[in-house]
């Protein structure tokens, strides 16, 4: 495409993030960066001069979605905004994207988005592509954190070296890298100054985080959590996603000792069958996972366990699947995500023989989700009658309603007009399948 004069510089933008919390974090940081350039956030993609689609490549459906989204950006008068494809599809497909969707102006990978301002300039004249993976340089080139609400994400670790045979993440996000101690502490302080009461530490394998503290001592994620616990204003700390093999003693101990570390652990196991775990290259067994859960519960009896599961991995038999159901029953997950296996280009599992037929996958997914749903509901019902501190994060749909989170990451609806960011004692009246309803505790006692 040749143009005689450059397109006007975009003045407004809209970032749309898909996929995991890491993408949500990256999306927030791209927005901060564009605002620092003087651009303003538009209400939606309809009004924006620049639309950033921050994409996910984890399953086929997620990856294909970007192409239909690009199509929808064309406006009634035939015009379209400047379009940037960011995130994991950008990393995985690179130059293939504008070949399939010529209206794409910018392709920018998850480790290169600090270069967006330069890429936008370039895109005014033609097309711009950057999928380099410089180690961590992006963080140094991004503006200081702005207000993110009561609960904020903070990426501390990126990438993955585990190479589960079904997964694209090691290819889209690169090797495991930990952000330096001081950077993380500074960012947490900035978030606390901007009003965050809760920080969720993020990483593809967040518990693999390692670093050196300001006194030169080697530290793991537990050390980082203990340091964040001392920052004034930060009342709650969470972390996700963890890998069973990186669940070290110090981190387990922290769950019994650090009061601001919330009693919630997202620890994916994927399957309850050792045969399938082996084929997945998970390098842990079902029994090993159960032992870990037992050890965490020994120091924090009330901890809520969450997880991820894949049904229909190549070769999964009904007996293998029954072992997954048995594991879920044994752990009594408070919540969990479950997915149908999706073959991904370039991964070893995609070319394995004995792929499971879609109808079998559908049926297994339904059974697993029914079990997980019933357990989640039971977990919520068990909260009835309890008084718990709730971090108020949003306004409810009706005036005088607030929405917040329990320590166990349950959504709680309460009639109250307190300011967002308040931690309110709430007496739980009812526990539904997806959320709790409660009343302000003093009112309940009166
Ligand atoms: N690092 C994390 C999760 C990364 S991806 C971990 O190891 O658990 C999030 C979840 O997506 C995974 O836990 C897995 O359950 C699911 N997932 C990943 N690849 C998939 C695929 N090819 N098909 C279906 N689900 C997949
Ligand atoms: Fe993917 Fe496995 Fe790495 Fe998780 S641990 S990101 S599932 S390769
Ligand atoms: Fe998706 Fe990339 Fe996250 S593939 S799940 S957005 S790391």
């Amino acid at each position: 495409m040749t143009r005689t004069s450059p397109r006007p510089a975009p003045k407004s933008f809209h970032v749309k993030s898909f996929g995991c919390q890491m993408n949500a974090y990256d999306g927030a940081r791209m927005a901060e960066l564009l605002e620092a350039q003087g651009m303003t956030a538009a209400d939606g993609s309809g009004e924006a001069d620049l639309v950033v689609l921050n994409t996910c490549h984890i399953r086929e459906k997620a990856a294909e979605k970007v192409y239909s989204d690009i199509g929808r950006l064309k406006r009634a008068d035939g015009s379209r905004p400047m379009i940037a494809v960011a995130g994991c599809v950008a990393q995985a497909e690179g130059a293939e994207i504008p070949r399939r969707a010529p209206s794409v102006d910018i392709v920018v990978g998850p480790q290169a988005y600090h270069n967006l301002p330069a890429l936008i300039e370039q895109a005014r004249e033609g097309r711009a592509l950057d999928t380099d993976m410089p180690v961590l340089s992006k963080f140094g080139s991004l503006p200081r954190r702005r207000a993110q609400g009561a609960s904020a994400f903070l990426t501390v670790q990126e990438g993955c070296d585990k190479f589960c045979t079904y997964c694209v993440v090691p290819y889209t996000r690169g090797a495991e890298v930990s952000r330096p101690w001081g950077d993380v502490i500074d960012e947490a302080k900035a978030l606390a100054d901007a009003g965050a009461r809760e920080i969720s530490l993020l990483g593809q394998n967040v518990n693999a985080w390692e670093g050196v503290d300001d006194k030169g001592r080697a530290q793991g994620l537990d050390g980082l959590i203990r340091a964040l616990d001392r920052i004034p204003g930060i009342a709650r700390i969470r972390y996700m996603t963890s890998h069973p093999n990186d669940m070290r003693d110090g981190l387990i101990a922290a769950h019994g000792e650090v009061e601001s570390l919330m009693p919630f652990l997202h620890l994916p196991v994927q399957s309850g069958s050792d045969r399938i775990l082996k084929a997945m290259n998970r390098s842990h067994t079902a029994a090993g996972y159960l032992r870990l859960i037992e050890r965490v519960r020994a120091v924090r009896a009330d901890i809520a366990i969450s997880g991820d599961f894949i049904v229909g991995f190549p070769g999964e038999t009904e007996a293998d699947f029954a072992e997954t159901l048995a594991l879920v029953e044994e752990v009594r997950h408070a919540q969990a995500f479950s997915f149908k296996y999706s073959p991904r280009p370039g991964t070893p599992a995609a070319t394995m023989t004995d792929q499971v037929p879609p109808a079998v996958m559908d049926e297994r997914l339904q059974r697993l989700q029914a079990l997980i749903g019933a357990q989640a509901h039971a977990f919520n019902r068990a909260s009835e009658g309890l008084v718990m501190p709730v971090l108020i994060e949003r306004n409810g749909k009706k005036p005088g309603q607030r929405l917040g989170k329990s320590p166990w990451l349950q959504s709680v609806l309460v009639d109250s007009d307190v300011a967002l960011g308040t931690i309110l004692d709430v007496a739980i009246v009812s526990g539904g399948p997806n959320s709790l309803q409660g009343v302000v505790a003093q009112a309940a006692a009166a």
Side-chain angles (χ1 to χ4, degrees):
M1 200 176 354
T2 49
R3 284 200 183 85
T4 42
S5 62
R7 291 163 69 166
K11 293 194 178 64
S12 62
F13 69 91
H14 181 68
V15 181
K16 204 170 162 196
S17 291
F18 307 90
C20 62
Q21 288 98 343
M22 310 271 298
N23 255 19
Y25 172 88
D26 290 337
R29 300 229 62 180
M30 285 186 237
E32 288 168 343
L33 175 64
L34 297 174
E35 278 177 350
Q37 300 290 309
M39 293 172 68
T40 53
D43 286 338
S45 31
E47 290 84 56
D49 300 334
L50 165 72
V51 173
V52 181
L53 299 173
N54 191 20
T55 58
C56 173
H57 199 247
I58 200 83
R59 284 167 289 274
E60 190 183 355
K61 242 195 207 148
E64 284 301 310
K65 194 176 164 8
V66 56
Y67 293 102
S68 53
D69 276 18
I70 292 166
R72 272 197 291 276
L73 291 175
K74 195 165 176 186
R75 290 168 185 155
D77 64 359
S79 71
R80 56 172 186 79
M82 185 182 275
I83 301 173
V85 175
C88 290
V89 176
Q91 193 64 45
E93 296 182 5
E96 181 57 27
I97 297 172
R99 271 197 288 274
R100 259 185 84 177
S103 58
V104 169
D105 302 288
I106 299 171
V107 175
V108 59
Q111 309 303 354
Y113 63 77
H114 56 293
N115 293 331
L116 257 178
L119 294 167
I120 292 169
E121 265 317 297
Q122 232 177 298
R124 293 177 60 198
E125 310 259 9
R127 193 167 278 142
L129 186 137
D130 189 348
T131 51
D132 281 355
M133 284 201 176
V135 175
L136 290 181
S137 72
K138 75 175 175 218
F139 292 108
S141 327
L142 294 169
R144 191 176 161 83
R145 299 308 311 274
R146 306 252 302 258
Q148 300 291 321
S151 178
F153 291 143
L154 201 179
T155 293
V156 300
Q157 183 278 340
E158 288 212 56
C160 182
D161 299 338
K162 304 281 191 288
F163 291 93
C164 300
T165 52
Y166 50 82
C167 186
V168 294
V169 171
Y171 313 100
T172 63
R173 291 276 172 164
E176 281 179 12
V177 183
S178 297
R179 282 182 73 190
W181 173 276
D183 284 14
V184 175
I185 302 285
D186 287 349
E187 189 169 328
K189 283 181 179 159
L191 287 166
D193 288 347
R197 305 292 322 272
E198 173 176 276
I199 304 262
S200 294
L201 304 176
L202 303 182
Q204 268 91 23
N205 283 302
V206 69
N207 54 346
W209 185 91
E210 54 187 12
V212 176
D213 69 13
D214 44 6
K215 298 194 177 66
R217 294 172 301 202
Q219 294 282 2
L221 187 67
D222 55 309
L224 190 60
I225 287 170
R226 288 174 197 273
L228 295 173
D229 174 63
R230 292 192 286 271
I231 295 176
I234 297 178
R236 293 184 165 194
I237 301 168
R238 303 180 184 277
Y239 63 92
M240 71 196 80
T241 294
S242 302
H243 193 282
N245 290 2
D246 292 317
M247 207 64 215
R248 306 199 183 107
D249 295 347
L251 185 57
I252 294 177
H255 274 285
E257 293 164 6
V258 182
E259 209 191 319
S260 61
L261 182 56
M262 291 293 101
F264 184 93
L265 176 62
H266 181 69
L267 193 64
V269 57
Q270 314 298 354
S271 168
S273 154
D274 286 345
R275 214 174 59 79
I276 296 299
L277 287 171
K278 190 154 195 282
M280 287 176 162
N281 191 32
R282 286 292 293 184
S283 59
H284 58 74
T285 60
Y289 179 82
L290 293 171
R291 268 197 306 277
L292 259 180
I293 299 296
E294 240 169 67
R295 287 177 56 211
V296 182
R297 283 187 168 144
V299 298
R300 185 78 212 227
D302 67 340
I303 196 159
I305 305 295
S306 160
D308 292 348
F309 293 90
I310 295 176
V311 301
F313 186 82
E316 186 188 73
T317 62
E318 177 59 28
D320 293 316
F321 177 65
E323 291 190 277
T324 299
L325 294 177
L327 180 137
V328 172
E329 292 205 33
E330 182 154 359
V331 173
R332 285 170 288 113
H333 290 85
Q335 61 157 74
F337 302 99
S338 46
F339 311 99
K340 280 184 280 187
Y341 167 71
S342 169
R344 306 304 292 126
T347 61
T351 50
M352 287 180 185
T353 51
D354 54 18
Q355 301 277 329
V356 174
V360 176
M361 282 204 237
D362 282 333
E363 191 262 343
R364 287 182 190 164
L365 186 70
Q366 270 182 25
R367 280 155 72 199
L368 179 58
Q369 291 190 338
L371 175 61
I372 291 168
Q375 289 189 172
H377 196 175
F379 183 77
N380 287 345
R381 268 197 306 261
S383 300
E384 290 174 1
L386 299 181
V387 173
M388 56 178 72
V390 172
L391 174 61
I392 302 296
E393 296 177 10
R394 278 185 290 141
N395 294 324
K397 285 205 184 83
K398 296 182 204 141
Q401 265 187 349
R402 295 287 183 271
L403 262 172
K405 288 276 161 52
S406 81
W408 303 276
L409 207 64
Q410 297 147 294
S411 293
V412 184
L413 194 65
V414 58
D415 285 331
S416 164
D417 51 13
V418 289
L420 305 188
T422 306
I423 296 178
L424 190 66
D425 278 338
V426 175
I428 302 306
V429 177
S430 72
N434 303 312
S435 63
L436 308 178
Q437 294 226 10
V439 294
V440 180
Q442 291 88 326

